[in-house]
Each structure stands twice: as structure tokens, then as C-alpha cells.
Amino acid sequence: LPEDVFRVRNYKKPHPERSHNYICGLYKDAVEFKSSRWFHYLGRELYYKKYWSAAIRVFQKGISCPGGWNTERSQGMCYTGECWQQLGDLDKAVSAFMKAIDYDSERREPWIRLAWIYQAKGNVWAALAFTNACELFKKRVDLYENDHNYTTYPKQLRDWCINKLKV
């Protein structure tokens, strides 16, 4: 990772036995423990800081680690897809969201993200298909997911599709 990634400061009170740099500490933990979870947390922090390319590499490393939780891998692929979108590569974003579905097909997030990509491309039928697919899944209590995935987003996507099909 580039040196400037490690210079992001953590404004919490420093722990005497840990690095004062949160991302650097996560990196050390990920490398030491070789845990998909630590790589996920590090990738998520890089994503939040808009280090798109670095986040992609870290998520890929975490997903390739043995063990782990498929739902977390799915979310990692969703973050990866969003990074690719920010970098302007929609084909790689679609591929990442499809892999997220492979890891956990019952989460609405990747289905909705795919619907938005096809909405942006003007492909009404694909957007409608992914919107319909996401609505097959009920909210899971064992997993945090954006409430809008179950309320406003599917409705907005469906309304857009219906309006386009009326023309």
C-alpha cells in the first residue's frame, strides 16, 4: 500500500500498546493474523477514505484467505464493486456484484447495485430483472443491511422502469 495510506490519523485517544494510526494498525493485524475479517475491516477503512484501488486489493486478499464468513465476503465484493464504479470500470463492478451474489444470494445489496448499474446504462429490462430478484428476499435479522434496500430503493427502481416502459 502507498505510504500516504498509512498517514491517515486516528483521532481517538491512543492506546499505549498500539500504533497511533488506525489503518496502519489494521494492516499489521491483517498481516499477522492472516484473517479474512481483518482484511475486510482494513479494506472497509480504505473504502471509507476513498482509496479505491488499495481497497480493492485488500478486499481481494481477504476474500482469498481460508475460512471466513460468506456474508462478509459478499459485502467485501459489494464494496469492491462500488470501488470499481468510482474508478469508472462498470464491467468489473458488475463482475464484483455477481461474485457477491455467489457468496450470499439472499442479501439485497448486490441485486440493487446491479439494478442501479443497468439503470445508469439505460437497460430497463435488466434493471427490472435485478429489482424483481432483490424483492424475493426478506430482511434477515442476523445481518445489518441498509433499510432502504427493503423500502425506498426497490420502489424507486421499479418506478423508473415502469416510466421508461410507458414511453
Side-chain angles (χ1 to χ4, degrees):
L1 299 174
E3 180 64 27
D4 63 329
V5 171
F6 294 112
R7 293 183 190 207
V8 177
R9 296 287 175 215
N10 179 12
Y11 295 103
K12 297 177 185 174
K13 184 179 177 183
H15 188 282
E17 297 175 12
R18 294 191 188 130
S19 168
H20 296 266
N21 184 316
Y22 183 59
I23 290 180
C24 185
L26 280 174
Y27 175 76
K28 288 177 182 177
D29 287 341
V31 169
E32 180 180 347
F33 298 113
K34 293 180 180 60
S35 162
S36 62
R37 171 140 305 164
W38 286 110
F39 281 108
H40 178 82
Y41 291 148
L42 174 59
R44 188 180 66 185
E45 290 302 315
L46 293 169
Y47 164 83
Y48 291 155
K49 301 288 185 190
K50 298 181 169 78
Y51 291 107
W52 310 124
S53 297
I56 290 168
R57 288 192 305 273
V58 171
F59 282 124
Q60 289 172 341
K61 177 72 174 166
I63 289 165
S64 69
C65 286
W69 186 30
N70 278 342
T71 302
E72 196 167 73
R73 283 190 167 104
S74 176
Q75 184 57 47
M77 289 310 302
C78 285
Y79 285 137
T80 300
E82 290 179 60
C83 291
W84 283 119
Q85 281 182 283
Q86 293 296 323
L87 294 171
D89 194 330
L90 293 183
D91 291 336
K92 287 185 179 177
V94 167
S95 177
F97 292 126
M98 294 301 286
K99 286 178 186 172
I101 290 169
D102 287 344
Y103 284 117
D104 188 347
S105 63
E106 294 181 13
R107 295 183 65 243
R108 283 194 178 190
E109 183 80 18
W111 297 100
I112 287 173
R113 296 288 177 176
L114 286 164
W116 280 340
I117 287 175
Y118 286 105
Q119 177 190 33
K121 289 181 171 188
N123 187 332
V124 178
W125 291 110
L128 185 58
F130 285 113
T131 301
N132 287 339
C134 89
E135 291 183 318
L136 295 173
F137 306 107
K138 302 294 180 205
K139 187 165 178 127
R140 292 168 43 186
V141 295
D142 66 329
L143 172 70
Y144 168 78
E145 197 168 2
N146 188 338
D147 286 336
H148 293 292
N149 291 349
Y150 297 87
T151 56
T152 56
Y153 294 159
K155 183 182 180 333
Q156 289 170 349
L157 285 161
R158 182 173 309 289
D159 290 348
W160 178 84
C161 292
I162 290 169
N163 288 333
K164 288 293 183 181
L165 291 172
K166 285 181 182 178
V167 175

